Amino acid sequence: MNASIIRRYGDTDFITGLRAIAATMVVAFHCSIFREFGQIGENVTEAGRYGVQVFFVISGFTIAATYLGAPSYLSYLVRRLMRIAPVYFFVIGAAIALTVAGVITGTGWSARFGVETDAYNLLMHLTFMSFWDYKIANSLIGVEWTIPVEVFWYVILPWVIARAVGVRKAVIFMVGLAALAFATILIGAQLGPSLISEWFPTTYGPYFLLGVLTYKLRSSTQMIGRETMAFWGGVAIFLFACVAAPVMTGAWVGVATALIIVGHRSSGGVSILTTTPLLFAGSISYSIYLWHALVVRYFALPESFPGYLEFLVVFGVTLVLSVPTYLLVEKPTNRWGAVIAKSPAVLKRQAA
């Protein structure tokens, strides 16, 4: 079973291991895993929310690899959308069905904003435009706000990649995206709830571009002999961010992720990021990310229930749901995406 589940990417298998860590962080956060263990426990638990930043940096890396290796923008975009959309739609459907049947309660966000699962809400989700309305952005699954953010950068980032050539231009684009993120936060603060900017794509542009830069740096001769320092520096920064909870923890985690990606090299030895458990969980990490929010809502365990036990229960059940979803939905639709991207219809449009 493991052999049919685990994805293999050669010398970038460790990216799959990072995905496993990112997904586990988010589940741990939603289960308040270490809430009983004092301030450090609270810091580590809170750091789990920044698993999203790990995903965003990885996405930037993957977008660069996929786009630069594709015959055209359209072919690239078809593969990216088929990678993310089918499972997203499937879990949205499951969430709505389970909520209507009374098996799970609605999301806390839908209750907070009095949101209904109406045609408007569903249309905005299915078109990946829900980030325009913070009241509905997280109202169906409870963690889906990140998916439209990903799709936004799937569409936009290739334009940046084509122009951010050379160190000088890359720095200019990074400064520009950082300024845009800052402006988004300021405008959101003026308009109302922080969620306006917190769930808006332009807030996270620097993380995606950081991922692109890691892709380019991995093939740069400038990194020869410096990989070990970058990797362990990234690990140290990551641990510091999780334990100490510094200001702008998400940025620390993003930089740490980038350094780990840039510095990781397979030397034939054993790497913790390419061990079988991490490769297994990382291969199904997308399903884990989407399903776990529904599992948390199903159990609705009280605050008095130990966080670490809640995590074990939620993660275990989520794995049971994620494996068949990966095998029956995610894996086949990924293959279809690859076929469609190379189909005569797409290639004809590319030529035109």
Side-chain angles (χ1 to χ4, degrees):
M1 176 66 77
N2 278 359
S4 64
I5 292 176
I6 291 176
R7 296 173 182 265
R8 292 289 181 181
Y9 299 100
D11 67 350
T12 57
D13 274 355
F14 72 95
I15 294 287
T16 303
L18 282 175
R19 286 194 177 100
I21 291 172
T24 303
M25 288 172 68
V26 176
V27 179
F29 169 68
H30 286 129
C31 294
S32 300
I33 184 170
F34 297 125
R35 62 190 173 205
E36 295 90 0
F37 297 95
Q39 187 59 54
I40 291 179
E42 289 183 16
N43 290 349
V44 174
T45 297
E46 186 68 16
R49 68 165 65 238
Y50 302 111
V52 168
Q53 274 77 353
V54 177
F55 275 128
F56 288 164
V57 174
I58 291 172
S59 286
F61 178 93
T62 306
I63 289 170
T66 308
Y67 172 65
L68 293 174
S72 77
Y73 174 80
L74 180 59
S75 178
Y76 145 81
L77 192 58
V78 166
R79 293 199 67 170
R80 283 289 87 202
L81 290 177
M82 287 298 288
R83 169 73 179 91
I84 204 168
V87 177
Y88 172 64
F89 294 157
F90 180 81
V91 179
I92 281 178
I96 293 172
L98 291 170
T99 303
V100 170
V103 177
I104 60 175
T105 59
T107 69
W109 299 110
S110 63
R112 175 176 172 179
F113 297 119
V115 171
E116 299 292 333
T117 307
D118 53 17
Y120 163 73
N121 190 346
L122 192 58
L123 179 64
M124 292 292 276
H125 273 82
L126 297 183
T127 56
F128 304 102
M129 302 297 275
S130 53
F131 59 82
W132 287 108
D133 186 345
Y134 71 91
K135 292 183 179 179
I136 68 165
N138 227 19
S139 62
L140 299 182
I141 300 174
V143 293
E144 75 271 22
W145 70 270
T146 63
I147 310 306
V149 172
E150 292 259 359
V151 172
F152 177 91
W153 288 107
Y154 285 174
V155 174
I156 300 297
L157 201 59
W159 182 89
V160 177
I161 292 172
R163 287 157 179 81
V165 179
V167 175
R168 181 174 174 273
K169 288 186 177 180
V171 170
I172 290 172
F173 271 97
M174 179 60 79
V175 171
L177 288 180
L180 182 59
F182 186 63
T184 303
I185 294 169
L186 287 180
I187 293 170
Q190 292 298 314
L191 293 176
S194 63
L195 296 175
I196 291 175
S197 58
E198 188 172 336
W199 292 344
F200 206 79
T202 50
T203 302
Y204 301 97
Y207 294 99
F208 286 88
L209 183 54
L210 196 58
V212 172
L213 297 179
T214 64
Y215 176 80
K216 293 188 174 184
L217 280 173
R218 275 180 60 82
S219 60
S220 171
T221 56
Q222 297 175 359
M223 290 306 300
I224 295 175
R226 301 176 182 175
E227 295 95 339
T228 300
M229 181 176 64
F231 178 82
W232 288 110
V235 171
I237 292 172
F238 182 85
L239 293 175
F240 165 75
C242 290
V243 173
V247 176
M248 297 179 65
T249 304
W252 287 91
V253 170
V255 169
T257 303
L259 287 172
I260 290 171
I261 292 174
V262 169
H264 190 283
R265 283 288 185 273
S266 176
S267 61
V270 175
S271 168
I272 191 171
L273 292 177
T274 55
T275 56
T276 299
L278 283 184
L279 291 179
F280 171 78
S283 296
I284 61 173
S285 58
Y286 184 37
S287 292
I288 289 173
Y289 177 78
L290 291 176
W291 275 122
H292 88 273
L294 274 61
V295 177
V296 169
R297 285 157 58 190
Y298 174 77
F299 285 104
L301 295 169
E303 289 266 342
S304 58
F305 197 83
Y308 60 91
L309 290 180
E310 180 179 2
F311 170 79
L312 291 174
V313 170
V314 168
F315 200 81
V317 174
T318 300
L319 284 178
V320 171
L321 293 170
S322 297
V323 169
T325 303
Y326 172 77
L327 292 175
L328 301 177
V329 181
E330 190 172 351
K331 205 170 180 182
T333 54
N334 280 196
R335 287 198 300 267
W336 299 343
V339 172
I340 295 170
K342 297 177 182 177
S343 67
V346 171
L347 294 175
K348 184 177 180 180
R349 291 189 65 185
Q350 291 170 184

